Amino acid sequence: MTPRPLLIITALVVVAGALASCTTEKRALPIPLPDTAETSSIYDTNGTQITKLQAEQNRISVPLKQVPASMQNAIVSIEDRRFWEHNGVDPRAIARAVKENNESGQVSQGGSTITQQYVKNALLGDDETLSRKLEEAALSMEIERTYSKERILELYLNTVYFGNGASGIEAAANTYFGVSSNELNLTQAAMLAGIVQSPSLHDPYKHAKNAKQRRDTVLRAMLDEGYISPTTAKQAEAAALGVIPKGQRPGEAAYPAGHFVSEVREWFLDNPEFGTTRAERAELLYGGGLRIYTTIDLNTQAQAEAAVAGHLPNPGFEGDPNDSSHDPDAALVTVEPRTGFVRAMVGGKDYFGPTEYAKVNLAVGGGRPTGSSFKGITLATALQQGITADDRFPSPGQACFSGWCPSGGAGLGGSARLEDCAAFSSNTCFAYLASKVLGPQKIRTMAYDLGISQDKLKERDGSVNATITLGTYNTTVLEMASAYSTFANRGIRVDPVLVTRITKADGSVVFQNQHRQRKVLEPELAFEVSRILTGVITKGTGKNNANIGRPEAGKTGTVELKNGANSDAWFVGYTPDLATAVWVGYSQSTKAPDGRPLRPKDLGSVQGGKVPAQIWASFMTQALVFTPPTPFTKPVPQQPAPTIPEVRRFEPVEPPDIVQMPDIVGRGRDDALARLEELGLKVTSRELEEDPRNEPGEVVNQSPRPGRALTKGADVSIETAPGAQTVPSLLGLSDTEAKAKLKRAGLEVKQVPAAAPTGTVGPNGAPVGPGTVWSQTPGPGDAPPKNKRVEIRVVPQPGKASPTSAPKAPATTAPTGG
């Protein structure tokens, strides 16, 4: 059977001639690099410009007259030898491709012209359906009727992808040879033309042999077409590729926070809010003149980079695994707990450095094993399940659980309180918790709730092992900083935020960050996590290096390989104002001559309580120098036992007044405040950002939860939607639903049975039926009346008394039919 791509090509042969004389629906033939395109800029949180964004594909447009004839001839010879003759579709090339593909039994050659390739890249995408191929052919001929051959070749050369992030001939010349496109010689032009067919297969850095063979194929094609002489071809084939070292492209201006800017770029290009395809989003990002305001603070960023460099001045392992002259790599992320704003991100030593992995952001991506720093998440799980800090668990030097035999009891004498297991990081204690008490699934669920990616914490079959508690699964530095920020924010999770606002040059808003949060832990449990993790620094594994002289909490983590070497080390810590995660390790492994992976035999100080904790302390001390120390506060303080002086022996003592926390979520702010104050409670109210899911003035969250016993005078808090409370819409609801909705909002109801006027329909356009609200006073969106009473008019149920004639419709009714 003929493969489908061959059928498509064959069909094109048949219809190509017909298409030339057909009219087709007119559509825009955009030039993707208009002269009026405006560069976008990115700013830090204080409005300081970080950089003007260049395309991730490093795209620069040049006129055709600036491209050497050798480059033009090379691309035409190998990609479309009849380019100067056809009308956009080349039946001869299609027929030749069909013949050669049938002989080889696979699609080894295509028949697309340069014009068709441009149409596919700029307008249509990679869809290989027959209808799309026909559209591609029709549009190619339309473009040929619209533009000159020179203009089409210029458009093609400025948009075609040459690999290694270079789109367009100018970027390719700069990337591979460090020259402008007008300086390319014959051998360089032939190599670039050869890359186009398969940028990955012909990558001169990864597949130099393939690249040279393909270059020589281009030279022979140029010889066949008469563009060069046999002597010139032979001399060019003898030349080396001559590419410059990867990452040493000249003219790339450095700017601060390179890894963060790269992450912002990826966030934008992956966000469908800015366009249906990545190409559309890229066009907007690099040519839309956007002003992108981010959360990064360049002062904080500089402090983070200085803290890392101060402890690891020579990062990046290379060469002999016994060479101790190189420091490990490091990454750092700091998050503001209340907002989720990422204030600093160190993804490596130098985004603009010469190493192959310089632009790899070590703070995001696939992540690394977290070691014992993951125990903070197990601790939160245990507290949520009702376990207390004083509960004791086995903590021997070694223990086995279904074939898993972790060691490391932290010298706690065989058993210890949960609080000490956390402070001194007992592996066996937490392994017992995960295996015998909690189960790994509950820990994984807590990690998900705290923002750890679901794709990371699982085996290939989707299961999860109890080893999760010791941080054996990969997690990113950004995820760990964000997870611990939830503890700092009293159990309220706020997703990490990179960008706060995007505007166009005229000031119109393209994007505005909406504050979104949800409760993962009860505030009192989050406080308990912080109180316990404070012990890591005051008495435990972080005691010597992580103390910054203010209320703080955190957790160390060290990953040890089977050969005894340490591969990764972490410190994740926080104050109420900042949560910061630090990872230290080697980003690249090396290989022995026989191909076995190697790690340095001794990473020395790479332990969570050493260098990562030192980096963390150095950074946090500087980042918080102008921030007054803030304590971790317990949401509902314990009431002291009453002390009554001079009480006679048999005089009864009055117990403190006890009240029960009511359920006020869904009520209006004023009604909720009145109810809580009537109970003698002290209320703190916080207004959230606008969210269409919430009614104006509605109570969205409350702490403590309903039913908790409190003493009068206790502190409670509520979070409300912005705006004043209004009467909700009841139209179209049943009388039962309407009553429940009003009761929930703290409003009373007066129900009046009344037949609806003829033609009245509900919000869904259907006639209102028995038991349905068809009118209300006050109307939806009006302010509640002083007596809190809302009158609803309900179509009577069959058999019940109702007016003999339809009443005059009140002012507020549901929409009526036409």
Side-chain angles (χ1 to χ4, degrees):
M1 181 179 291
T2 305
R4 181 176 177 81
L6 299 184
L7 289 175
I8 293 174
I9 294 174
T10 304
L12 283 174
V13 175
V14 175
V15 302
L19 282 171
S21 59
C22 292
T23 58
T24 182
E25 179 185 354
K26 296 293 183 182
R27 62 180 289 170
L29 301 175
I31 298 173
L33 298 171
D35 296 335
T36 56
E38 184 179 350
T39 304
S40 297
S41 297
I42 187 166
Y43 299 85
D44 86 338
T45 189
N46 300 309
T48 301
Q49 187 181 84
I50 300 175
T51 185
K52 288 182 178 295
L53 285 178
Q54 287 188 338
E56 64 164 356
Q57 299 168 328
N58 192 32
R59 190 176 63 189
I60 303 171
S61 180
V62 293
L64 187 64
K65 64 182 179 182
Q66 192 171 312
V67 180
S70 60
M71 184 68 235
Q72 299 180 42
N73 295 335
I75 201 74
V76 168
S77 297
I78 197 65
E79 289 295 318
D80 186 3
R81 66 181 66 177
R82 295 188 65 251
F83 171 73
W84 300 104
E85 304 168 28
H86 62 64
N87 66 346
V89 176
D90 186 0
R92 292 187 193 177
I94 296 174
R96 183 176 63 251
V98 170
K99 179 177 181 294
E100 295 188 12
N101 290 334
N102 276 322
E103 289 175 354
S104 66
Q106 58 184 350
V107 183
S108 59
Q109 185 176 127
S112 295
T113 65
I114 280 177
T115 313
Q116 286 176 281
Q117 291 181 49
Y118 169 72
V119 167
K120 182 174 70 172
N121 294 337
L123 302 179
L124 298 181
D126 295 328
D127 193 347
E128 291 293 328
T129 62
L130 179 58
S131 61
R132 180 56 59 88
K133 278 291 184 181
L134 293 174
E135 185 181 12
E136 177 188 294
L139 281 171
S140 297
M141 288 185 285
E142 179 68 20
I143 283 179
E144 292 267 356
R145 288 193 291 268
T146 305
Y147 300 119
S148 68
K149 287 284 187 179
E150 289 77 9
R151 182 58 169 150
I152 294 170
L153 183 58
E154 178 183 292
L155 289 171
Y156 175 79
L157 285 170
N158 279 309
T159 55
V160 68
Y161 185 58
F162 289 92
N164 283 289
S167 277
I169 188 60
E170 181 69 13
N174 191 252
T175 295
Y176 292 108
F177 303 111
V179 300
S180 181
S181 57
N182 62 4
E183 301 174 84
L184 289 169
N185 60 35
L186 173 62
T187 57
Q188 293 169 337
M191 192 202 84
L192 294 181
I195 288 176
V196 170
Q197 182 195 55
S198 176
S200 59
L201 180 63
H202 306 312
D203 184 339
Y205 294 115
K206 295 181 179 179
H207 307 291
K209 183 178 179 180
N210 290 352
K212 186 178 184 305
Q213 289 176 345
R214 180 66 177 170
R215 182 201 67 180
D216 295 347
T217 299
V218 174
L219 289 169
R220 287 191 291 274
M222 295 179 72
L223 174 63
D224 293 342
E225 294 299 313
Y227 290 123
I228 58 175
S229 67
T231 301
T232 301
K234 186 174 181 180
Q235 291 173 343
E237 287 183 21
L241 289 176
V243 294
I244 62 175
K246 189 173 183 180
Q248 293 187 9
R249 182 171 66 241
E252 185 175 36
Y255 48 80
H259 291 102
F260 175 82
V261 171
S262 175
E263 190 64 14
V264 168
R265 181 188 292 118
E266 287 303 310
W267 167 84
F268 188 101
L269 294 174
D270 288 341
N271 194 333
E273 187 172 343
F274 304 122
T276 55
T277 67
R278 188 177 176 94
E280 288 180 18
R281 298 190 284 269
E283 199 66 34
L284 176 61
L285 179 62
Y286 300 118
L290 302 179
R291 309 294 188 261
I292 303 173
Y293 298 92
T294 71
T295 60
I296 201 80
D297 185 317
L298 289 184
N299 293 324
T300 307
Q301 177 71 20
Q303 292 164 343
E305 292 173 0
V308 172
H311 294 279
L312 299 172
N314 187 31
F317 179 79
E318 297 173 0
D320 184 352
N322 295 307
D323 180 3
S324 60
S325 65
H326 292 277
D327 295 318
D329 297 293
L332 180 154
V333 173
T334 191
V335 174
E336 195 173 79
R338 285 180 289 275
T339 63
F341 290 176
V342 176
R343 294 304 193 188
M345 177 181 286
V346 178
K349 180 185 179 181
D350 183 6
Y351 182 80
F352 301 95
T355 62
E356 287 191 3
Y357 66 96
K359 287 181 170 55
V360 175
N361 190 343
L362 301 176
V364 295
R368 298 295 288 252
T370 58
S372 293
S373 63
F374 204 88
K375 290 174 183 173
I377 297 173
T378 303
L379 172 64
T381 311
L383 296 176
Q384 188 183 59
Q385 297 300 312
I387 296 170
T388 71
D390 290 327
D391 288 340
R392 298 186 70 87
F393 298 96
S395 182
Q398 186 174 34
C400 290
F401 307 95
S402 301
W404 174 44
C405 299
S407 60
L412 295 177
S415 70
R417 298 182 308 135
L418 176 61
E419 181 168 338
D420 291 328
C421 288
F424 296 98
S425 201
S426 169
N427 288 341
T428 53
C429 176
F430 274 85
Y432 182 88
L433 268 173
S435 300
K436 300 295 186 181
V437 181
L438 301 172
Q441 183 59 52
K442 286 188 176 69
I443 300 171
R444 179 166 66 175
T445 299
M446 174 60 72
Y448 290 170
D449 290 343
L450 290 170
I452 308 299
S453 170
Q454 297 189 26
D455 294 333
K456 296 186 177 72
L457 306 179
K458 62 183 180 182
E459 301 296 319
R460 291 184 177 180
D461 62 0
S463 64
V464 59
N465 294 329
T467 60
I468 186 175
T469 191
L470 301 187
T472 55
Y473 295 98
N474 286 1
T475 305
T476 70
V477 183
L478 175 60
E479 288 172 333
M480 289 299 284
S482 180
Y484 273 61
S485 75
T486 303
F487 304 149
N489 197 32
R490 298 157 64 94
I492 302 298
R493 167 161 178 75
V494 183
D495 288 335
V497 178
L498 304 178
V499 176
T500 56
R501 183 167 52 99
I502 301 176
T503 66
K504 292 185 177 179
D506 61 5
S508 58
V509 177
V510 176
F511 168 83
Q512 180 70 52
N513 176 62
Q514 298 295 320
H515 179 86
R516 293 181 176 87
Q517 62 182 41
R518 66 185 185 91
K519 183 166 64 176
V520 175
L521 286 171
E522 292 297 331
E524 53 268 30
L525 294 184
F527 170 81
E528 185 68 353
V529 171
S530 298
R531 188 192 68 78
I532 293 173
L533 293 183
T534 295
V536 173
I537 297 172
T538 59
K539 63 183 179 181
T541 54
K543 178 179 179 181
N544 295 328
N545 293 308
N547 197 320
I548 60 174
R550 62 170 63 216
E552 56 186 314
K555 188 69 191 73
T556 58
T558 305
V559 179
E560 183 178 332
L561 301 176
K562 291 181 179 180
N563 64 5
N566 297 333
S567 62
D568 302 85
W570 295 71
F571 189 84
V572 189
Y574 58 95
T575 71
D577 304 292
L578 281 182
T580 301
V582 178
W583 166 83
V584 173
Y586 288 108
S587 60
Q588 291 183 312
S589 61
T590 59
K591 291 185 178 180
D594 62 0
R596 291 182 300 105
L598 287 176
R599 285 283 186 182
K601 292 181 178 178
D602 182 10
L603 296 187
S605 59
V606 182
Q607 297 177 15
K610 293 187 178 179
V611 172
Q614 293 166 355
I615 293 173
W616 183 89
S618 296
F619 165 70
M620 293 289 279
T621 299
Q622 290 299 312
L624 296 170
V625 67
F626 296 115
T627 302
T630 307
F632 297 111
T633 56
K634 195 168 186 178
V636 181
Q638 292 180 340
Q639 299 296 314
T643 56
I644 304 176
E646 300 179 0
V647 177
R648 293 196 302 271
R649 183 183 296 268
F650 300 106
E651 183 176 350
V653 178
E654 291 293 329
D657 290 333
I658 302 296
V659 297
Q660 191 176 60
M661 182 67 176
D663 184 0
I664 53 172
V665 171
R667 293 184 176 274
R669 179 193 299 106
D670 295 340
D671 179 64
L673 290 173
R675 283 175 172 267
L676 295 173
E677 289 168 357
E678 284 177 6
L679 295 173
L681 300 172
K682 296 179 181 178
V683 186
T684 299
S685 177
R686 175 175 177 268
E687 190 173 281
L688 301 175
E689 298 288 338
E690 186 174 352
D691 187 325
R693 295 172 296 182
N694 301 328
E695 297 284 347
E698 174 189 25
V699 176
V700 179
N701 297 310
Q702 69 175 79
S703 179
R705 54 192 169 192
R708 287 291 301 274
L710 305 171
T711 57
K712 282 191 176 182
D715 293 323
V716 299
S717 61
I718 62 173
E719 292 181 322
T720 64
Q725 183 190 14
T726 59
V727 175
S729 176
L730 310 170
L731 303 175
L733 301 180
S734 69
D735 55 353
T736 302
E737 292 171 333
K739 291 175 184 177
K741 192 168 186 178
L742 289 173
K743 182 178 179 181
R744 193 71 187 153
L747 300 173
E748 298 179 6
V749 62
K750 178 182 178 182
Q751 180 174 339
V752 178
T758 303
T760 301
V761 297
N764 61 358
V768 292
T772 303
V773 177
W774 61 271
S775 176
Q776 68 177 86
T777 305
D782 291 346
K786 290 184 178 180
N787 63 4
K788 303 290 185 182
R789 180 172 298 173
V790 177
E791 181 176 301
I792 59 174
R793 296 167 188 82
V794 180
V795 178
Q797 298 282 0
K800 293 188 179 181
S802 63
T804 56
S805 61
K808 181 180 179 181
T812 303
T813 63
T816 57

